[in-house]
Amino acid sequence: MEYRVEKDTLGEINVPADKYWGAQTQRSKQNFPIGNEKMPKEIIQAFAILKKSTAKANSELGLMETEKAEAIAYAADLVLEGKLDDHFPLVVWQTGSGTQSNMNVNEVLAFVGNQWLEERGIDKTLHPNDDVNKSQSSNDTYPTALHVAAVLKLEDTVLPAVRKLKNTIKEKVDQFQDVVKIGRTHLQDATPITLGQEMSGWQRMLEKAEMMITESADHLKELAIGGTAVGTGLNAHPDFSDLVCKEISKQTGKNFISAPNKFHSLTSYDEAVYAHGALKALAADLMKIANDVRWLASGPRSGIGEITIPANEPGSSIMPGKVNPTQSEAITMVATQVMGNDATIGFAASQGNFELNVFKPVIAYNLMQSCQLLADSMISFNDRCVVGIEPNYEKIEKFLNDSLMLVTALNPHIGYENAAKIAKKAFADNSTLKEAAIELELLTEEEFDKYVVPENMTSPKK
């Protein structure tokens, strides 16, 4: 392998000749050979948006030559197009401020920007710190990049997936609104419900999750940029932060603003905790929905089997013909991962000491992973399972007619205790409720048929 020599304040170091990073990135590669978890691409791209915006702001303030700002913008656009992905090699497990990843971006943008300047015969040179990082610190750029990445991921990836699954379930709610089945509480028989009503609970879960995620994203639109090292704004122009936020908003189509208190925004990650809490709530709902699906589809002959789901692949390496609820299993595993990520983010966010939190990369990694896993799993669960849900009318009717809890309809007519006698006798004798009621001389056959109508038990009656 061929190398070139790069240098920083610690001296010289060899860097692979075909890579665009500089000395500080190379030192991080050598000093942190920990795990395989790379800095999320979303964070790198958010950095590119930020650096393009800071360059323009510095130029507008007369603090940077126009040519340099254009060179930085050119390089940043290449990052956003995914053309420089191979030049961001750093792992999550580095300095807790994310300084090395900030410098990785600075070094790559400076390298590519200098090529752009040279090709145009412009006699200027970009410096990673003095130019690309001008008016900035890793302490305010990393939380800014995290917030930008989180808003984009939540609003452009997670929420569309939530809406897709919600809309599919809504279609099923309408389709199955009149399919009367037995309800269940405590995993025991309960009073009748329609399949549409049952699924409407799932629909509302996703509606609530959508609202909570949307609201949490608004808090992330306050940006730390302009706080520099400790929140005082040292080495940044007073108008710098507002100009940068305006430019980021223009690039992303999102309404970002300067955080009103930079001492808070450098040391606290409560917005990320709050947003991920909404994701955890979504994960909890998805766990419930997916578990309901696999319970209701269990069988096909020895389970509940009230619904059927698509057979996507053979379910067993030894049992021929077996089909498993694999999409439910996948999305519930994702839910457990998200719940674990939430604990990690909570612990990490609690570690703000004095003017800085130094658990930034692990917060970013877990937040981005949760967003991607939830979005991917919801789309897969929707496309390969929920769209194909159909009622098993034979099973539904059998369970409905066999249920002892239909006796609840008799409470207003013969009282709770007499109704209980009927249910207990029917269970003990393995007979029907009607047979037990007649034998106990509590109701005639005509009265029983008048009062016990499952369709009439799925809503309040006057």
Side-chain angles (χ1 to χ4, degrees):
M1 180 181 290
E2 295 183 1
Y3 294 90
R4 70 176 189 277
V5 176
E6 291 281 353
K7 64 179 181 179
D8 56 15
T9 56
L10 290 183
E12 295 182 344
I13 188 171
N14 288 334
V15 173
D18 62 338
K19 301 303 180 185
Y20 297 164
W21 63 72
Q24 291 198 48
T25 303
Q26 188 64 31
R27 292 191 195 282
S28 184
K29 271 182 60 67
Q30 295 177 2
N31 288 333
F32 299 99
I34 305 172
N36 298 312
E37 294 82 7
K38 302 293 186 183
M39 190 61 60
K41 182 176 180 179
E42 296 91 343
I43 298 296
I44 300 300
Q45 293 198 322
F47 261 115
I49 293 170
L50 171 60
K51 298 298 178 177
K52 183 177 179 180
S53 300
T54 57
K56 182 169 183 179
N58 279 318
S59 177
E60 288 184 13
L61 291 168
L63 301 175
M64 178 181 290
E65 297 95 323
T66 302
E67 296 89 347
K68 285 188 174 183
E70 290 176 350
I72 293 171
Y74 166 78
D77 284 339
L78 291 183
V79 174
L80 294 172
E81 293 167 10
K83 295 179 178 179
L84 301 179
D85 289 351
D86 291 342
H87 303 282
F88 300 100
L90 300 187
V91 295
V92 170
W93 318 109
Q94 52 170 280
T95 176
S97 63
T99 297
Q100 280 108 34
S101 282
N102 179 44
M103 285 307 304
N104 183 192
V105 175
N106 290 336
E107 290 172 344
V108 171
L109 295 185
F111 187 98
V112 175
N114 283 330
Q115 288 181 329
W116 185 86
L117 290 168
E118 183 178 356
E119 289 170 358
R120 281 153 184 76
I122 301 172
D123 187 22
K124 297 183 185 299
T125 302
L126 289 173
H127 189 281
N129 298 82
D130 295 337
D131 296 309
V132 187
N133 202 60
K134 190 175 187 61
S135 307
Q136 305 154 63
S137 163
S138 299
N139 297 348
D140 67 348
T141 59
Y142 198 98
T144 297
L146 172 56
H147 276 211
V148 171
V151 169
L152 293 174
K153 203 70 173 173
L154 289 170
E155 293 189 346
D156 297 347
T157 301
V158 177
L159 286 175
V162 172
R163 292 171 186 133
K164 182 175 186 179
L165 180 56
K166 178 192 69 175
N167 291 337
T168 296
I169 292 175
K170 174 63 168 64
E171 291 175 5
K172 297 293 180 180
V173 169
D174 295 339
Q175 184 179 353
F176 305 144
Q177 195 59 46
D178 297 326
V179 179
V180 182
K181 63 183 290 292
I182 199 64
R184 294 179 179 85
T185 59
H186 305 271
L187 293 181
Q188 304 294 309
D189 297 351
T191 56
I193 191 173
T194 73
L195 183 56
Q197 288 174 326
E198 190 167 47
M199 295 182 75
S200 75
W202 308 349
Q203 176 191 340
R204 184 57 177 164
M205 289 177 191
L206 296 175
E207 289 173 350
K208 294 287 285 187
E210 180 183 3
M211 288 187 283
M212 289 187 287
I213 293 169
T214 299
E215 192 263 335
S216 72
D218 288 338
H219 296 286
L220 289 161
K221 291 174 182 175
E222 292 185 2
L223 302 182
I225 193 67
T228 64
V230 295
T232 61
L234 179 66
N235 291 348
H237 189 283
D239 296 332
F240 176 73
S241 180
D242 286 333
L243 286 174
V244 173
C245 292
K246 180 180 178 181
E247 182 59 28
I248 292 175
S249 299
K250 181 179 178 181
Q251 288 189 55
T252 61
K254 314 293 183 183
N255 185 29
F256 290 100
I257 61 172
S258 177
N261 187 307
K262 299 299 191 294
F263 306 104
H264 165 268
S265 55
L266 266 61
T267 196
S268 173
Y269 275 86
D270 46 16
E271 300 101 330
V273 172
Y274 189 75
H276 198 277
L279 295 179
K280 181 175 70 171
L282 171 61
D285 285 338
L286 292 173
M287 178 74 82
K288 196 272 183 192
I289 293 169
N291 277 335
D292 279 359
V293 168
R294 63 173 155 191
W295 272 103
L296 290 171
S298 62
R301 293 186 175 178
S302 300
I304 294 176
E306 289 184 340
I307 63 172
T308 60
I309 56 176
N312 296 320
E313 64 275 308
S316 174
S317 61
I318 188 174
M319 293 175 279
K322 196 170 192 295
V323 176
N324 293 331
T326 52
Q327 290 296 320
S328 287
E329 291 165 6
I331 201 168
T332 52
M333 284 194 289
V334 165
T336 63
Q337 181 66 48
V338 171
M339 292 173 187
N341 287 352
D342 192 72
T344 298
I345 289 174
F347 285 127
S350 73
Q351 299 304 303
N353 301 120
F354 304 113
E355 279 64 61
L356 189 67
N357 176 293
V358 290
F359 286 69
K360 301 177 190 296
V362 73
I363 293 172
Y365 180 80
N366 282 275
L367 181 54
M368 292 300 107
Q369 185 191 62
S370 290
C371 288
Q372 194 65 56
L373 288 177
L374 285 168
D376 289 348
S377 63
M378 281 187 288
I379 291 172
S380 184
F381 184 58
N382 179 84
D383 294 352
R384 297 172 180 84
C385 181
V386 179
V387 294
I389 289 177
E390 293 293 339
N392 182 337
Y393 293 99
E394 183 179 350
K395 276 286 187 76
I396 286 173
E397 185 176 0
K398 177 177 178 4
F399 286 140
L400 178 65
N401 293 333
D402 287 351
S403 175
L404 299 177
M405 290 305 100
L406 295 180
V407 78
T408 307
L410 298 177
N411 286 0
H413 306 287
I414 63 174
Y416 180 94
E417 292 188 7
N418 281 332
K421 290 178 184 178
I422 294 173
K424 289 179 179 180
K425 181 171 180 58
F427 181 72
D429 296 349
N430 195 27
S431 64
T432 66
L433 290 172
K434 182 189 293 187
E435 291 169 343
I438 294 172
E439 190 170 340
L440 289 170
E441 298 183 348
L442 292 171
L443 291 165
T444 65
E445 181 176 356
E446 292 76 14
E447 289 173 327
F448 185 92
D449 290 340
K450 177 181 178 182
Y451 299 145
V452 182
V453 182
E455 292 81 1
N456 295 338
M457 297 176 69
T458 60
S459 62
K461 303 298 179 185
K462 292 184 179 180

